[in-house]
Amino acid sequence: MRFDLTDLQLFVHILDSGTMTAAAALSHITLASASERLRGMEEQLSCALLVRKARGVSPTAAGHALGQHARQVLAQMQQLRGAMGEFGAGLAGQIRLRGNTSAVREHLPLAVGGFLLQHPQIALELQECPSVEVLDGLRQGLCDLGVAAWDADQPPPLAGLECSMWRSDQLVAVLAADHPLAGHSSLTLADLVHENWVGLPRDSALQQLLIKQALRLEKADAEKKPPLTGSTLRMRVQLPHPEGLCQLVGQKVGVCILPAAAVRRHAAATGVVAVPLGDAWARRQLWLCTARGSTLPGPASQLLAHLRREAALQP
């Protein structure tokens, strides 16, 4: 299969415009040349890519699949051009770093700030994703460094990786300052399941963890005689910003569970308190990871050393 970028861009223009004529104009080629390129693609794939209609064209199943991949390739090429342009402008290196939500939003910005000031010719691409995707990205070569969190009762799948503990990522219950439980030195999820809740979006890693632990608690309750009720969390509001969640908690809409670092930034302004969770799964650690056996580019190796030194200075 030998498609060039003009072929792929032409095909995306066809899908977007719905006509060969418009796609040829957008690609700055003649209609005859566009038709010849399309025939060449269909011959190489041995299948039809488009269904011709009286007023334009529509993709077949194969054409739809080709369009998805073509958009990905073109987007990657655009990113490549941008990266190479930065090198041409004097960039000395680029680091690809993935982290889970807590790492990216609470820990890494301050941790990498000093490094970037010391190395003004190094660019950092920081991507937020669930911890599982952080580790998968390292194995697949999609990033140089990763920071992932795992709860204490389920060790992370570290096959093919080199990892070391980086920071504590304690989870806390967030309560209004005058909540009846706010004065406790420690709480568990079982103490809170009967409350109304606010939380992060359902697909976030932390929210998935809470759902899993609530289901475990519900299963354990069902085995008691008489069973307890209400172990499933009554989620009233879900939004992606810890500050907004703290504001809702301060207004007594519900309680939530967040990383301690996130609550420290917003507690004073929102009128909430953070109570540590005593559950084993809430005593999380952030892991600093690289792919085993890989040779890190110089800038990534420098950042790894910086993050390790920075971790050693943490109390």
Side-chain angles (χ1 to χ4, degrees):
M1 186 188 307
R2 295 184 178 180
F3 296 164
D4 60 26
L5 293 178
T6 301
D7 290 332
L8 297 180
Q9 186 64 76
L10 170 65
F11 195 74
V12 169
H13 285 324
I14 293 172
L15 298 183
D16 290 343
S17 66
T19 71
M20 290 290 297
T21 302
L26 289 169
S27 301
H28 305 290
I29 60 176
T30 65
L31 179 58
S33 178
S35 298
E36 184 61 30
R37 283 181 175 273
L38 179 61
R39 280 195 296 271
M41 286 189 282
E42 290 180 326
E43 289 174 0
Q44 289 187 60
L45 294 172
S46 300
C47 64
L49 296 172
L50 298 173
V51 176
R52 279 71 174 175
K53 299 180 178 180
R55 294 185 178 180
V57 294
S58 62
T60 62
H64 181 73
L66 176 60
Q68 289 181 318
H69 288 288
R71 292 184 196 278
Q72 292 175 3
V73 171
L74 293 170
Q76 290 171 349
M77 287 302 300
Q78 185 62 35
Q79 292 173 0
L80 175 60
R81 292 189 189 99
M84 293 302 100
E86 290 172 346
F87 281 105
L91 186 68
Q94 187 172 38
I95 305 167
R96 301 168 301 164
L97 172 60
R98 282 188 175 189
N100 76 320
T101 300
S102 181
V104 171
R105 299 190 186 188
E106 306 302 332
H107 297 281
L108 283 170
L110 286 177
V112 303
F115 174 84
L116 293 173
L117 287 174
Q118 295 169 15
H119 300 85
Q121 299 304 106
I122 293 178
L124 176 66
E125 179 185 335
L126 182 57
Q127 182 181 5
E128 177 185 328
C129 54
S131 291
V132 171
E133 293 182 19
V134 172
L135 304 184
D136 288 344
L138 288 165
R139 296 188 185 97
Q140 297 168 22
L142 300 177
C143 56
D144 304 307
L145 305 174
V147 178
W150 230 259
D151 55 271
D153 65 347
Q154 185 180 356
L158 300 182
L161 302 173
E162 297 286 348
C163 297
S164 58
M165 295 292 188
W166 185 53
R167 285 188 177 187
S168 172
D169 192 40
Q170 171 71 42
L171 296 178
V172 297
V174 187
L175 308 170
D178 59 352
H179 191 285
L181 299 176
H184 287 229
S185 60
S186 178
L187 293 169
T188 66
L189 182 60
D191 298 323
L192 301 168
V193 291
H194 299 287
E195 302 282 340
N196 289 322
W197 284 74
V198 299
L200 296 169
R202 185 179 180 86
D203 60 353
S204 71
L206 176 54
Q207 200 64 21
Q208 288 295 318
L209 172 62
L210 293 181
I211 291 171
K212 180 183 73 173
Q213 296 302 331
L215 290 174
R216 284 185 180 180
L217 189 60
E218 186 173 44
K219 182 178 179 180
D221 286 349
E223 296 172 354
K224 296 180 180 179
K225 298 188 182 303
L228 300 177
T229 60
S231 297
T232 301
L233 305 183
R234 296 194 300 271
M235 196 63 59
R236 297 194 63 197
V237 184
Q238 291 180 271
L239 54 114
H241 307 296
E243 182 179 10
L245 293 175
C246 289
Q247 289 173 344
L248 289 170
V249 171
Q251 296 176 61
K252 305 179 184 180
V253 175
V255 303
C256 71
I257 288 176
L258 290 171
V263 184
R264 280 196 295 267
R265 289 196 295 116
H266 306 303
T270 57
V272 302
V273 296
V275 180
L277 288 175
D279 300 286
W281 53 265
R283 296 190 293 272
R284 303 193 306 177
Q285 291 285 339
L286 292 176
W287 297 60
L288 182 58
C289 306
T290 60
R292 182 176 297 155
S294 66
T295 301
L296 286 176
S301 181
Q302 290 175 293
L303 178 58
L304 177 62
H306 170 85
L307 291 175
R308 285 174 172 167
R309 288 194 300 271
E310 191 270 346
L313 298 175
Q314 291 297 308

